[in-house]
Structure formats: structure tokens, C-alpha cells
Amino acid sequence: MAEPHAEAAALATGLAADAAAGWDLAGELPRPVLRELGVKGVLCAQVPAGHAGLGLSSVDNGELTAHVGTLCGSLRSVLTSQGMAAWAVQRLGTARQRTAHLAALTGGSLAGVAFSEPGAGSDLGAMETTLTLEGDEVVVDGEKVWVTVGAYADLLVVIGKLAGQAGCVVVPAETPGVRVTRVPDPLGCRAAGHADVRFDRVRLPADALLGGTALPLGMLVTAVLTYGRISVAWGCVGMLRTCLREAVRHVSARRQAGVALSEHQLVRRHLAELHVAERSATLACARASRCWDEGDPELGAAAVLAKHLAATGAAAGAATAVQLLGSAGARDGHPVARAYRDAKLMEIIEGSNEISQLVLAEQALRAWA
């Protein structure tokens, strides 16, 4: 029996497998490809079938995300962004908002989620973007940076301060007062459409505010980031699988001193470390996704652990793969070279290594006190 995500994975393979290197070099994903994947439900595959989604579990969507991660880190970034946007609508929106926005997200519209600001990266409590209710309108004012998919987005899901707490609004990118500026030459995920977005007194109907009310910032951010952390973690599993595939192919075919590179003990040590990183990350991701699917209260902790383990493993594993391939893996556009650059960003987004370590330390103190 085919896996629930098999058809979506096959579609992604057909569209991306031979094109990803060119997308990376050009710094651009073709919008028709993104639209097709969106209409087929691949970009936010956990949206229920009742809203025209694929209705995948977190475990199955995780394997789909890992598969896309083996193909193209930029495309995987779109899955993470679109999935976060859809989850924000599902988790925070009213029934009417869910019906309207999820139909857009499974109908070809593209979405970016705007968290970070020039002065508020890890410290989201320092954000200055404001959401102000004025009669039957909500006014958005502020600046967001490094919005993944921002350059392609039809909709922007924006987090801002509201009535002493926080709120989340869905902003059509074409609304007057919205200014999108693409980030030039990002280090990694170069085709993911990273952009800075300025909101100058952007006026929207009050119904643009998800749930219609203010929420505690920590609750709102955690609800959305947990999805993102699991998605990024699965994407890192994909990077590790690519690095293993390319490394094994290379060291099995290349000979040195009369024997295959794979016969050298130091090379085998590197392969063992890559294998351990991929297996460990996969197991941590599977546990986090099971927590999601089962409503386990350990979800938040499991998501942070999976993201940290997978991101650090991918960054180290990609460096190992480049070392094993040598000049062959240092060519711009090569899958291992892409993974080397992309993986570094994974140690920063959805909670940096340092933020993850602080959270994990708190967990350790509680568990072992």
C-alpha cells in the first residue's frame, strides 16, 4: 500500500528534482510550480480534507517535508511557510475565517508569516509592529524582516502588538501601504523569496484579525512556531539524507591509493557520523510529530528538541559531506553545497541554537531537579 504522502512526493519530485540546482543559482522559484503544488495541497498538506487539503497527519506530512528537503531547501521553505500560515488560521481563526483563508491557501495563493523585526529577532517581546482597532478596521503599522516567501506572497500572516497583548492578522500583499523588498543574495535557501516588508498605516477590515481578539504573545507565538519547528526539523532530515546519498555515491566510486575511498577508516568514521545524525534526527522528528498527532502535552518540548538536534546535525553533516566530496562538493549548485549553505540558516530560524539550548536547559532542570 502506498504511503499517504506518496502522490504528493512524486509530484514534487517531478517538478523539482532536475530543476532545483537552477532555481538555487537563479535565486527564484517559478510561480507556476508553486501554484500547482498549492492547488494540489502539497504546500500545506495537514489542512483537513474538508477545507480541500490532503489531511495528512504530522508524521506523514513530516516525511513529505523531508522528501522535499532532499530535493530543494528553498521549496521546502515554502512548505514550512505555507503550513505555518495555514496552522495559524486553523488554530486562531473563527469558523468563517478558516473557511475563507484555507480555501485560498489550498487554492493556489501563497503565504508568508511575518515574525521578526529589525530590533526583535529572538526577543519577540521587543517587537514594535502594532495592530490597532479603529472602529470596524484594524490598522497595521511596522516593519518585518526576513519573511520567507514574502517576495511571492499573496497573503501575509502578521504578528503584532494589540491592546497590551498580541494579535495575528491576514494581510493581502496588494493592500495599499504594504511595501515588499526582496532580501538580496541570502546565504541559504536562496530561492525561497525572503523579503523585508513595511506596513505603513495599512487599513483592513477588523475581520482580518484572526479570532477577533488579543492573545498573550507567548501563547500566540508558541502555537505558530511549534508547527514551524517541526517542519524545519523534518526539512533538515531531508538535507541529511541528501548528504548521505551524495557522500556514499562519491566515496564508493572514487579511488585513492588503489582502493575506494569508502575503505579508508577515517572516511568510514565520517559516514558513521552522518548516519547517526540522520537516524537521530529522524527519530526525534517522528516523536515530535506523534506528539502533535496524539495531542501529547510534551509537544512543545519535543518540537524544540527535534528542531535543535536536526538543525545542528544538518549543519555539521553538510560540512562533513563537503569534506568527503572535496572540490566536487564545493561547486555552486551541487546538492551538498546547497545543503551546506541552507543548513546554516536552519540553526537560526524558528528559534536559534542558543534559544533552543536555553529551552532545553530549562527542561533538564525541571526533569532532573
Side-chain angles (χ1 to χ4, degrees), residues 41-129:
V42 178
L43 298 185
C44 47
Q46 281 181 238
V47 171
H51 291 288
L54 299 182
L56 295 188
S57 67
S58 180
V59 170
D60 289 326
N61 187 44
E63 283 294 349
L64 172 61
T65 303
H67 177 73
V68 174
T70 67
L71 302 170
C72 177
S74 293
L75 183 57
R76 192 279 312 155
S77 295
V78 178
L79 266 69
T80 297
S81 176
Q82 192 90 343
M84 287 175 70
W87 174 243
V89 171
Q90 287 178 252
R91 178 69 178 82
L92 306 173
T94 63
R96 199 200 67 78
Q97 289 170 331
R98 289 194 294 272
T99 297
H101 295 314
L102 294 179
L105 295 176
T106 57
S109 293
L110 304 172
V113 180
F115 277 107
S116 296
E117 300 184 3
S122 297
D123 181 16
L124 288 172
M127 72 169 60
E128 296 182 354
T129 296

Side-chain angles (χ1 to χ4, degrees), residues 6-281:
E7 187 175 343
L11 176 62
T13 299
L15 292 171
D18 297 327
W23 295 344
D24 182 70
L25 291 170
E28 188 80 19
L29 293 171
R31 282 174 173 79
V33 168
L34 298 179
R35 303 285 186 207
E36 180 174 356
L37 290 170
V39 169
K40 297 293 179 59
V42 178
L43 298 185
C44 47
Q46 281 181 238
V47 171
H51 291 288
L54 299 182
L56 295 188
S57 67
S58 180
V59 170
D60 289 326
N61 187 44
E63 283 294 349
L64 172 61
T65 303
H67 177 73
V68 174
T70 67
L71 302 170
C72 177
S74 293
L75 183 57
R76 192 279 312 155
S77 295
V78 178
L79 266 69
T80 297
S81 176
Q82 192 90 343
M84 287 175 70
W87 174 243
V89 171
Q90 287 178 252
R91 178 69 178 82
L92 306 173
T94 63
R96 199 200 67 78
Q97 289 170 331
R98 289 194 294 272
T99 297
H101 295 314
L102 294 179
L105 295 176
T106 57
S109 293
L110 304 172
V113 180
F115 277 107
S116 296
E117 300 184 3
S122 297
D123 181 16
L124 288 172
M127 72 169 60
E128 296 182 354
T129 296
T130 58
L131 312 177
T132 307
L133 289 170
E134 296 183 0
D136 59 356
E137 292 184 319
V138 58
V139 180
V140 187
D141 210 15
E143 183 178 4
K144 297 293 185 178
V145 297
W146 281 90
V147 179
T148 303
V149 189
Y152 308 128
D154 303 291
L155 300 172
L156 296 160
V157 177
V158 183
I159 312 297
K161 289 186 173 179
L162 171 66
Q165 297 191 85
C168 183
V169 292
V170 179
V171 183
E174 296 299 320
T175 306
V178 176
R179 290 186 293 153
V180 178
T181 304
R182 189 158 191 159
V183 174
D185 302 318
L187 170 67
C189 299
R190 294 192 295 203
H194 301 295
D196 300 335
V197 186
R198 176 73 206 177
F199 303 91
D200 291 316
R201 299 286 296 172
V202 175
R203 291 186 171 274
L204 302 163
D207 191 51
L209 179 66
L210 292 180
T213 187
L215 297 167
L217 177 62
M219 174 268 182
L220 190 157
V221 169
T222 300
V224 180
L225 274 187
T226 296
Y227 182 100
R229 285 168 174 160
I230 294 175
S231 182
V232 166
W234 278 111
C236 289
V237 168
M239 289 186 206
L240 281 164
R241 291 174 181 174
T242 290
C243 289
L244 265 171
R245 180 193 69 218
E246 296 296 326
V248 167
R249 286 177 179 174
H250 180 82
V251 302
S252 298
R254 183 74 177 268
R255 300 182 70 81
Q256 188 178 70
V259 298
L261 280 177
S262 59
E263 295 302 315
H264 290 271
Q265 286 186 339
L266 289 178
V267 169
R268 289 193 165 213
R269 186 199 72 190
H270 285 314
L271 291 177
E273 290 172 348
L274 263 172
H275 177 67
V276 168
E278 187 275 332
R279 287 288 80 204
S280 300

